[in-house]
Amino acid sequence: MRGVAALNAPLIGTPDSRAMLETPALVLDAAAFEANTAQLAALSGAHGMGLRPHAKTHKCATIAKRQLALGANGIACAKPGELLALFEAGIRPLMLTAPIASARKIARLADAAARGAELTVVVDRVDLVEAFASAARAAGARIDVLIDCDTGLGRTGVVTADEAVALARAVAAEDSLRYVGVQAYAGLVQHVHAHVDRRAANDAANARLRAILDGLEAAGLAASIVSGGGTGSHLLDFEAGLLTEVQAGSYIFMDEGYQPVDFHGTETAVFATALFVDVTVVAHSAAGEAITDAGSKSLAIDGPPPRVFRDGVEIGRIEWAGDEFGRVKTAAGHEAPAPGTRLACTVPHCDPTANLHDFIHIVRDGRLVEIWAIEGRGLSD
């Protein structure tokens, strides 16, 4: 270990050790994390649909193993670097959810497949089919392939059934590849706040997907895997039954970006906030505001500002005061905490926040119980 994790490791098992952590420290509440993972696993099982959690959220082999132990189909990854780090850490059923354009990265993926990775990739064009086929053949491997479909996000993927059929035929013609279905990630749906509006957006995306699936089936290329969805749309996807598996990621941690989302139309929280960055007040500004030791190097800033807790009581929000510093904007009735005070901050966006840390400190009932490595941290290649 290194950094604050090395300083904090001797505290493992010590009562009330969370309050003693050197900071900034990425902290995971074990009970909330376990409740979140168990809840979505149970929901997917109750609806007879698979779950392929997305590791872009955590990039951590220990978390991936726990998700697999709860019955996940496999682990989704956004980038080859993340995927290969998890493979080297012992994760085998892995899916790369984004198309790539690098012969060397493709060769590394094919080598991992030859060494035991149960690898699935997505393609959005014929030259990528050919590149994966050539690399797999050279490595003596066979790779499963999904056709990447754009159902409204406007990022990657084919739009029409004819395009999907042409790509599926190209994959099926390669002996080193195996056509297994489609991916359709409705990213534009995930953060729509109101349940009724999110359902309408998801229905529109599903209508585009259904047309593609119908075209593939008519061509004798029915998709056995239909992968997509996410934390924001998970219940809608379970109810619609069009996907065969959901690629939810943020549900394990939760963040401020998802706080306003009414997941189940009940206007009550479905998943608990499990991820925090614990910080220390290091100074007071001339205006008397508490300044902390964590800025944009510790918390991703592409989301609503973090809520701040002192001894479990919410006292305000954090504003950015630089790369290394945060400014506590205390709510009415709360005084600025004194230098040396430790605070817990929610995270604006969990995925990139996890990517800023090498280790997660696991706490239970205020006690540090474990420290887990984030093997894929920083591997955004």
Side-chain angles (χ1 to χ4, degrees), residues 125-151:
R125 59 192 189 276
V126 171
D127 69 281
L128 185 53
V129 174
E130 295 169 346
F132 273 122
S134 177
R137 193 176 304 113
R142 196 173 191 200
I143 296 174
D144 288 350
V145 178
L146 300 174
I147 308 306
D148 191 23
C149 302
D150 178 5
T151 59

Side-chain angles (χ1 to χ4, degrees), residues 36 41 43 78 106 118 124 133 137 142 164 168 188 204 220 226 253 257 265 275 296 344 367:
N36 291 347
L43 272 174
I106 290 170
E118 300 166 30
D124 62 346
R137 193 176 304 113
R142 196 173 191 200
L188 72 169
V226 184
F253 289 157
L275 190 70
S296 59
R367 183 194 303 255

Side-chain angles (χ1 to χ4, degrees), residues 38-61:
Q39 181 172 7
L40 194 57
L43 272 174
S44 67
H47 287 85
M49 187 176 291
L51 187 62
R52 191 182 297 265
H54 213 304
K56 67 181 180 180
T57 297
H58 58 78
K59 308 167 190 67
C60 170

Side-chain angles (χ1 to χ4, degrees), residues 315-332:
I315 65 168
R317 296 260 180 180
I318 285 278
E319 281 187 357
W320 312 119
D323 295 348
E324 293 83 13
F325 302 105
R327 186 189 313 275
V328 180
K329 307 297 288 187
T330 51

Side-chain angles (χ1 to χ4, degrees), residues 227-377:
S227 190
T231 295
S233 65
H234 70 271
L235 184 64
L236 303 175
D237 294 321
F238 292 153
E239 292 174 346
L242 188 61
L243 304 178
T244 64
E245 61 180 32
V246 171
Q247 295 180 6
S250 299
Y251 74 100
I252 64 169
F253 289 157
M254 298 310 299
D255 56 29
E256 290 300 319
Y258 267 122
Q259 278 297 317
V261 177
D262 183 8
F263 291 111
H264 290 183
T266 59
E267 297 185 357
T268 57
V270 172
F271 302 111
T273 300
L275 190 70
F276 300 86
V277 174
D278 283 11
V279 304
T280 301
V281 177
V282 295
H284 277 185
S285 70
E289 295 171 314
I291 304 299
T292 71
D293 59 355
S296 59
K297 289 180 180 177
S298 302
L299 291 130
I301 62 176
D302 59 334
R307 288 171 290 149
V308 182
F309 294 82
R310 178 175 55 197
D311 299 326
V313 177
E314 184 175 345
I315 65 168
R317 296 260 180 180
I318 285 278
E319 281 187 357
W320 312 119
D323 295 348
E324 293 83 13
F325 302 105
R327 186 189 313 275
V328 180
K329 307 297 288 187
T330 51
H334 294 281
E335 295 183 355
T341 304
R342 285 177 172 79
L343 305 171
C345 304
T346 60
V347 301
H349 186 182
C350 53
D351 302 13
T353 296
N355 197 48
L356 294 170
H357 298 264
D358 292 312
F359 299 93
I360 310 180
H361 297 73
I362 315 303
V363 299
R364 190 184 300 276
D365 298 326
R367 183 194 303 255
L368 178 66
V369 293
E370 290 183 88
I371 298 177
W372 298 344
I374 305 178
E375 289 87 352
R377 173 262 194 275

Side-chain angles (χ1 to χ4, degrees), residues 120-213:
T120 304
V121 300
V122 302
V123 297
D124 62 346
R125 59 192 189 276
V126 171
D127 69 281
L128 185 53
V129 174
E130 295 169 346
F132 273 122
S134 177
R137 193 176 304 113
R142 196 173 191 200
I143 296 174
D144 288 350
V145 178
L146 300 174
I147 308 306
D148 191 23
C149 302
D150 178 5
T151 59
L153 184 57
R155 195 162 62 188
T156 66
V158 300
V159 175
T160 69
D162 287 345
E163 292 173 306
V165 167
L167 273 182
R169 284 176 174 156
V171 173
E174 298 286 355
D175 59 4
S176 58
L177 304 179
R178 180 169 42 234
Y179 163 70
V180 294
V182 305
Q183 173 184 260
Y185 174 56
L188 72 169
V189 172
Q190 305 307 317
H191 284 85
V192 177
H193 294 178
H195 189 73
V196 64
D197 294 337
R198 198 166 60 261
R199 183 181 294 279
N202 210 50
D203 287 347
N206 280 345
R208 299 183 182 99
L209 174 58
R210 187 172 287 107
I212 292 173
L213 294 175

Side-chain angles (χ1 to χ4, degrees), residues 95-114:
M95 175 190 290
L96 182 66
T97 61
I100 55 178
S102 163
R104 284 179 289 180
K105 291 177 183 177
I106 290 170
R108 291 182 69 204
L109 291 168
D111 174 68

